Every structure is written in structure tokens, then in C-alpha cells.
């Protein structure tokens, strides 16, 4: 059955060769939304309909990271703007495609052999769930540069089947004469992409899409006219000139008269026009739906009009990584989520007479013609050979009991395919001739151990499902919440209460779709802890201080607390203010009204004279926090030179290790002032963007902040403060991640 794999590869190769891309002329954009743009946010919380596809890939590739990009866009709004309903030239297919892929089934020509796509065709490629699989996932790969995965070899793998990666991989033509490039195209693309901070595999795939890498005959890149346009930028037909002439004129205007300049020009064009505005995956380059806070419009800027462009580039990337044995590398994928999506992925366009008769039969796959031989089955995202292959199943043992089981939920009529559902919830299509009914003990009901329960915000409870009959073969179930903002439920029935409200938790059997429900009444949140920013405070007689505690959780309904002093003669409490009265130490205790949780800090009160004053120069001092540190000159010696005092100074890093004069200071570095060996004052340094406290802003800071935002790690209060780049927000957000990332790339400077 290996001829199936060969046929598919031949089909994909032909598809790649026939697909030509074109950029959208921004002057003609009619689809854009310019006001009230939703700002996206990123986390790991995918809707239930995404989870089976994500989990299947995680099981196979545990190093892969999947992030949900919550676009805030309504599904139907996005779909309408990406189709002829708003702009009849924004989404196109080749005229050789079946009528179901075309508007009204007709050829409305827009760009050479490309015609306006049907709404259902756009819906199929716009729905991310159709491509969360081995063959489609790389359209969601982030386009930031990664040394670990985006190697020169990977770039060469993309170009290998083209002249740029073959016999002419280190040559170019100029006015018909071959010249030595002095390097390979793969090495050049890798180097230039790294400079800009963009994925070179993506750049190579884009060149291959646009010009097939044909430096021998391709008019835009063969040097016959002394200019080079590797990315077809500006290459579209107008009333005054054809696409090739316009593309050459664009290259001439930009001064792309040599290979490095032309490729760098295209790389910078892609970065500046798309990536830096949030179009930082192939999918987002095709569908302009992501606004990380920088976008000026949405649904208006697409690098390509061909609806299969992202799918085809993704497959090239996958095949390249696969051929170099790199698929277990730590790739990160950003997958869009829309509001009000259907529960099932959008279906592939089908002829009007194709339909599926509802079914609920347990089945397995078999090819009885070759008993004893490993069977290979290609399961697709639609009942058509053009649909993405979502899974390849290999079955080695004969006999129904030894085969993988599915639930057939649709019997194909007037089509060769049946519709099947995996036990994890994924839906696919398989040729009917391989499908066989499996006789087994079916589920006839499900119940829960409780149908109503009162819980508090923050509570975690596990619901227990009982399947009947007890000898039912397939006892797998799926869980869902009617409102995940109130409570979430995992695949094991573990429910986590998020906020006050009423929510219904439903369990559904995979076999026979039997259901049972439990209503949860989630009450207001109770206090679980109180913490203070510091353990010690140093005051001079007469000073006052207001210490702001942190109450957990943030949405606790009663955040009131009291303050008391162990010695009011040393430190007195007046409302929420602590006042230093006389020399000595006092323990200040904060106690929550709800739950009686406590936190303490020591107030150290000292006397001081004029000759022992502390003066800080060229730095900003506020509430014992020092900022405005020069990142280019942040040695301990420099910091000391900016402080005038007669006290002894001792400087320690965030882990309280004493630093030498040549060491760098960073976030969490403390400056202790001592008199006769006794600490009388302490200041703490903050460097915005330096989360780990080493005095340098780099990828480690980005990773620490990402993990903090998604709840995977804890940070000290001073590290949280360093993460808030605008210095006014209450907590770090995705926008702070973006600013740190752009600072690292040299595209933005974080003010201190």
C-alpha cells in the first residue's frame, strides 16, 4: 500500500509547482478594519474543540510548545472580510480547481489563472483546526529566529529541489553572464535572516513559492535586466504593465541590483510589513487577524492571495525538518482562536449531491486483500484527496480485536469517504472501502456522583462518571464546561472554580454520545494568603511608611486587613501608616479580616546625623527603589560612585551574594548601608526588562516572564516590577513580552 504515499507526494509536488503567490496591493485594500481593533493575548488555554488535535501532537512531539492566540475577532466577521463578501480579490484559487472552491462555481478571474474563492473554501483554510496535524502545523510556527532549529542545512533542504539549491547554489546571472556568488544561497539567506531576527526556513520557502528558485529562467531573478526580485514584491498586473514588468520596476526603484541587497530587501520587507505588526506566522501572513497591540488595522494585509499558500509553505517546512531529523526540536506554535466558532472544524467544499448519513457505529480499518502485511491508512481533514492528511495509521496485526477503533459518525453518500471520530474527539475522513463494523458491548448510559455542588473560587473538585453497562467496551468520555470563565474541567473530570457564578459541567461518552450533567454554584473567592514586598524596612526616627501587602487571590471578595506593632514605643501604627518613634526594632504584623492570614516585617529604626546622610546622584530613588540605571555602565563600581555617604556600603545580588566592584548590578540587587557593622538602611535596584536580575536583558528574561504570565513559575515582587515596562500597570502583560523581545532584537529601547 506504499503507492498511496508516492501518490500523495507527487500530488503535493505538483501543487507546489503550480501555486503562484501575489501580494495584496495596500492601495486597493477594501477589507481592513481600522477602528476598535481587538488586542490579542496569548496563553495555553485552547477551546475544547482544539484540544484533541493539540494533545495528539503533544503525545508524538513532547518538546513542541503550543500557544493559543486569542484574536478577539468574531469568526463570522473574520470569514466575511476574508471573502468576496467584503473584498472579491483577497482570497483566490487556481481556475483548475473544482467548482465548489470558486465563487458561484464560476471563474471570476482576478490574477492570471487565479479566480475568486468560494466562502466555504476560505472557511476551510481559515479554520486552524483543519491544520493542527503533522502536515499542516508549521503554518503556525513562530517566525522569530531560532539557532537550534533553523540551521543552514534546513534552509538548504527547502532550496534543494531548485536551481538555487542545486547546480547553481553558489552562482548568479548578470545580463546573461554567470558569476560566482562567493557563498551558497542557503548560507546567505541564513545569515541575512539571522541579522533581522526572522526564520530563514520561512524565507527560503517564500522564495521557492514565489519564483521556484529558478535563477536560470525566472525573469524576476535571472539577472537579465540587472535587478532581482526574489519575493515577487510589487509583481502584479495593472492596466499599464504586466506583473513581471511591475516586479522589475519595483526592484529597480529599491536598488536591488545585487543578490545580497535583493534578498535582504525582501527579508526586511516581510519583517517590516508583516512580522513586526503581529503577522509572525505563515498563517498570520496569509490572514491578518492578530493584533498584539501594534497593528494599525486588521483583515487588510495579506502577503499572499492564494488560499493554499500557508498550507503549502507549512508542508515544505515540515518535510525539510523531517528529512534532517529535527522534528523533536522545541518548536513553538502560535495558533489563532476566534470567538463564536462552530464546535466542529469547517468542512471542505463538497459537491451539492455529497452528504453523510448520520451514524454511530464502532468501526475499525482493514485491507483484507493483503493479510499479514502492514496496512497504511491516510486519514484526512475532508472527504477529498486535496484535504490535509491529519494522520497516517499503520496497522500491523490482523483481526478486528487488534485494530484501532473509531466511531463512524457519518456514512458517505455519493462520496468514497466515511466520517470517523477518534476516541479523543478528533474528526477525520477515510475511504469507505477500508471501514468495517466492529461488534462490541455498547454504552447505554452515564451518570455522575453528584448533580449539584456548592464550591468556592479556587476550589478544585473531581467529578466521577459511571458508565453503564459495566462491561461496555469503550468507556472513554469527554468533559466540557458551559462557561470556562467560571469553571474549567480537564480530561479527568477535575473541575477548577475560577470566579463566582453558576456553571454546568457535562460528561459525554465517546461511544453513543450519552450525557450527564452537574451544576456548580461557584461562590465568591476567599482569601488564601497575604504577603509583603520585603522582610525588613529601615527607617530613621520620625520617618513614616505605608506598606502595601498582596492579598491572594486577586479577586478575593474581602481584602481588608489590620496592622499591629510588637513595640509601639519603637514603631507606632496610625491607620495604614507605620511611624518610626525611637531607635530599636519592632515587628509589624498584617492580618486579613477574611481567614486571619498573617504576614510580618521587621521595622529597624535608627538615629542619624547630618554627616551620615545618603545622597544618590544620576539615579532615580523612590520608596527605597533605585532605577534609571545605565545598562551600558552598570558595574558595582559605577553605582558606588553615584552614592555619597559616610556609611559603609555593601552590595549583594538578587540571591544575596556579595558582589565585587567589577560585577554588574541587576534587578533585585540590594545596597546595604552599615554603621559599625549594623545595617541602618537598604535600597533595592530595579532594571526594567531584566527579570532574572543579572543586569542584562536577554532571552532568559523573556522566558521567565512568559512562564510567570501563564502561571508556570513565581517571581519576587521586585522581578514583577521589572517586568512592567510601562511602569504603571498593575501586572505584566503580553505587551511587556513584546517590548522585551523587540528590545533584544534592537527594534525598541526600554526606558529605565
Amino acid at each position: 500500500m506504499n503507492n498511496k504515499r508516492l501518490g500523495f507526494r507527487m500530488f503535493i509536488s505538483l501543487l507546489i509547482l503550480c501555486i503562484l503567490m501575489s501580494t495584496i496591493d495596500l492601495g486597493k485594500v477594501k477589507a481592513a478594519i481600522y477602528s476598535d481593533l481587538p488586542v490579542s493575548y496569548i496563553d495555553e488555554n485552547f477551546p475544547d474543540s482544539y484540544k484533541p488535535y493539540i494533545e495528539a501532537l503533544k503525545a508524538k512531539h513532547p518538546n513542541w510548545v503550543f500557544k493559543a492566540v486569542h484574536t478577539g475577532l468574531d469568526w463570522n466577521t473574520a470569514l466575511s472580510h476574508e471573502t468576496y463578501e467584503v473584498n472579491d480579490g483577497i482570497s483566490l484559487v487556481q481556475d483548475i480547481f473544482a467548482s465548489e472552491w470558486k465563487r458561484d462555481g464560476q471563474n471570476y478571474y482576478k490574477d492570471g489563472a487565479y479566480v475568486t474563492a468560494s466562502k466555504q473554501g476560505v472557511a476551510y483554510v481559515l479554520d486552524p483546526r483543519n491544520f493542527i496535524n503533522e502536515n499542516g502545523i508549521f503554518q503556525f510556527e513562530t517566525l522569530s529566529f531560532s539557532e537550534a532549529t533553523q540551521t543552514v542545512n534546513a534552509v538548504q533542504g527547502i532550496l534543494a529541489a531548485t536551481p538555487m539549491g542545486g547546480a547553481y547554489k553558489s552562482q548568479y546571472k548578470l545580463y546573461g553572464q554567470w558569476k560566482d556568488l562567493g557563498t551558497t544561497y542557503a548560507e546567505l539567506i541564513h545569515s541575512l535572516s539571522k541579522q533581522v531576527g526572522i526564520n530563514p526556513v520561512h524565507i527560503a520557502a517564500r522564495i521557492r513559492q514565489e519564483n521556484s528558485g529558478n535563477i536560470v529562467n525566472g525573469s524576476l531573478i535571472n539577472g537579465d535586466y540587472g535587478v532581482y526580485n526574489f519575493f515577487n514584491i510589487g509583481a502584479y498586473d495593472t492596466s499599464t504593465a504586466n506583473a513581471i514588468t511591475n516586479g522589475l520596476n519595483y526592484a529597480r526603484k529599491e536598488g536591488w541590483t545585487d543578490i545580497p541587497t535583493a534578498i535582504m530587501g525582501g527579508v526586511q520587507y516581510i519583517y517590516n510589513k508583516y512580522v513586526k505588526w503581529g503577522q509572525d506566522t505563515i498563517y498570520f501572513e496569509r490572514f491578518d487577524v492578530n493584533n498584539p497591540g501594534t497593528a494599525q488595522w486588521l483583515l487588510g494585509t495579506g502577503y499572499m492571495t492564494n488560499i493554499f499558500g500557508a498550507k503549502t509553505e507549512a508542508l515544505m517546512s515540515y518535510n525539510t525538518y523531517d528529512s534532517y531529523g529535527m522534528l523533536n526540536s522545541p518548536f513553538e506554535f502560535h495558533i489563532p482562536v476566534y470567538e463564536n466558532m462552530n464546535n466542529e472544524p469547517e468542512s471542505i467544499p463538497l459537491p451539492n449531491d455529497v452528504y453523510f448519513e448520520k451514524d454511530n457505529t464502532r468501526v475499525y480499518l482493514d485491507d483484507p486483500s493483503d493479510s499479514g502485511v502492514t496496512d497504511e491508512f491516510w486519514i484526512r481533514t475532508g472527504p477529498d484527496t486535496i484535504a490535509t492528511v491529519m494522520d497516517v495509521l499503520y496497522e500491523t496485526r490482523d483481526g478486528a480485536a487488534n485494530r484501532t477503533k473509531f466511531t463512524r459518525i457519518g456514512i458517505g453518500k455519493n462520496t468514497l469517504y466515511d466520517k470517523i471520530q477518534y476516541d479523543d474527539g478528533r474528526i477525520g475522513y477515510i475511504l469507505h472501502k477500508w471501514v468495517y463494523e466492529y461488534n462490541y458491548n455498547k454504552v447505554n448510559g452515564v451518570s455522575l456522583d453528584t448533580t449539584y455542588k456548592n464550591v468556592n473560587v479556587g476550589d478544585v473538585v473531581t467529578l466521577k462518571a459511571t458508565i453503564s453497562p459495566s462491561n461496555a467496551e469503550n468507556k472513554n468520555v469527554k468533559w466540557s464546561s458551559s462557561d470556562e470563565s467560571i469553571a474549567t474541567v480537564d480530561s479527568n473530570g477535575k473541575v477548577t472554580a475560577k470566579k463566582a457564578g453558576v456553571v454546568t459541567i457535562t460528561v459525554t461518552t465517546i461511544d453513543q454520545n450519552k450525557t450527564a450533567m452537574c451544576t456548580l454554584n461557584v461562590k465568591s473567592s476567599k482569601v488564601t494568603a497575604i504577603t509583603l514586598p520585603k522582610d525588613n524596612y529601615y527607617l530613621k526616627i520620625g520617618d513614616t511608611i505605608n506598606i502595601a501587602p498582596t492579598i491572594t487571590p486577586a479577586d478575593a471578595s474581602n481584602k481588608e486587613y489590620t496592622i499591629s506593632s510588637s513595640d509601639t514605643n519603637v514603631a507606632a501604627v496610625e491607620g495604614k501608616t507605620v511611624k518610626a518613634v525611637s531607635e530599636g526594632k519592632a515587628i509589624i504584623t498584617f492580618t486579613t479580616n477574611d481567614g486571619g492570614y498573617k504576614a510580618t516585617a521587621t521595622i529597624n529604626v535608627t538615629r542619624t546625623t547630618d554627616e551620615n546622610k545618603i545622597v544618590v546622584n544620576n539615579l532615580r530613588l523612590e520608596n527605597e527603589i533605585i532605577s534609571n540605571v545605565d545598562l551600558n555602565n552598570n558595574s558595582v563600581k559605577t553605582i558606588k560612585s553615584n552614592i555619597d555617604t559616610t556609611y559603609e556600603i555593601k552590595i549583594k545580588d538578587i540571591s544575596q551574594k556579595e558582589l565585587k566592584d567589577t560585577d554588574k548590578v541587576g534587578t533585585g540587587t540590594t545596597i546595604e548601608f552599615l554603621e559599625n557593622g549594623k545595617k541602618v538602611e537598604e535600597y533595592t535596584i530595579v532594571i526594567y526588562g531584566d527579570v532574572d536580575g543579572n543586569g542584562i536583558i536577554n532571552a532568559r528574561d523573556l522566558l521567565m516572564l512568559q512562564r510567570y504570565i501563564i502561571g508556570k513559575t513565581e517571581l519576587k515582587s521586585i522581578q514583577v516590577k521589572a517586568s512592567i515596562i510601562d511602569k504603571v500597570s498593575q501586572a505584566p502583560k503580553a505587551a511587556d513580552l513584546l517590548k522585551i523581545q523587540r528590545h533584544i532584537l534592537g527594534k525598541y529601547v526600554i526606558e529605565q
Side-chain angles (χ1 to χ4, degrees), residues 516-531:
M517 291 176 286
C518 174
T519 300
L520 292 183
N521 180 26
V522 183
K523 298 180 180 180
S524 298
S525 180
K526 293 183 175 295
V527 172
T528 58
I530 181 172
T531 57

Side-chain angles (χ1 to χ4, degrees), residues 81 96 177 183 279 607:
H81 278 74
I96 62 173
Q177 298 296 316
T183 184
Q279 293 180 263
R607 295 182 180 277

Side-chain angles (χ1 to χ4, degrees), residues 72 209 318 578 680:
Q209 284 278 32
Y318 171 81
V578 178
V680 297

Side-chain angles (χ1 to χ4, degrees), residues 13 19 29 52 263 344 389 406-407 491 627-628 640 663 685:
S13 298
I19 287 181
V29 167
I263 293 178
E344 287 190 12
V389 176
F406 304 88
T407 299
S491 59
S627 58
N628 197 34
K640 286 181 177 179
D663 291 332
I685 290 175

Side-chain angles (χ1 to χ4, degrees), residues 350-366:
L350 298 172
N352 292 332
D353 59 348
V354 171
Y355 67 96
F356 293 88
E357 179 183 290
K358 286 188 177 180
D359 188 36
N360 195 23
T361 302
R362 197 69 171 159
V363 299
Y364 63 96
L365 307 181
D366 194 12

Side-chain angles (χ1 to χ4, degrees), residues 138 141 158 201 205 282 313-322:
F138 279 90
E141 180 191 4
I158 293 287
V201 176
I282 301 173
E313 283 195 28
L315 184 58
M316 280 197 289
S317 295
Y318 171 81
N319 287 336
T320 298
Y321 291 136
D322 186 23

Side-chain angles (χ1 to χ4, degrees), residues 452-461 485-487 495-503 519-528 553 555-558 594:
Y452 184 88
K453 196 173 187 67
N454 290 311
V455 296
N456 293 313
V457 172
D459 285 353
V460 177
V461 296
S485 68
I486 297 176
V495 181
T496 303
K498 297 291 188 180
K499 72 175 184 180
V502 177
V503 64
T519 300
L520 292 183
N521 180 26
V522 183
K523 298 180 180 180
S524 298
S525 180
K526 293 183 175 295
V527 172
T528 58
D555 63 348
S557 55
N558 181 3
D594 179 11

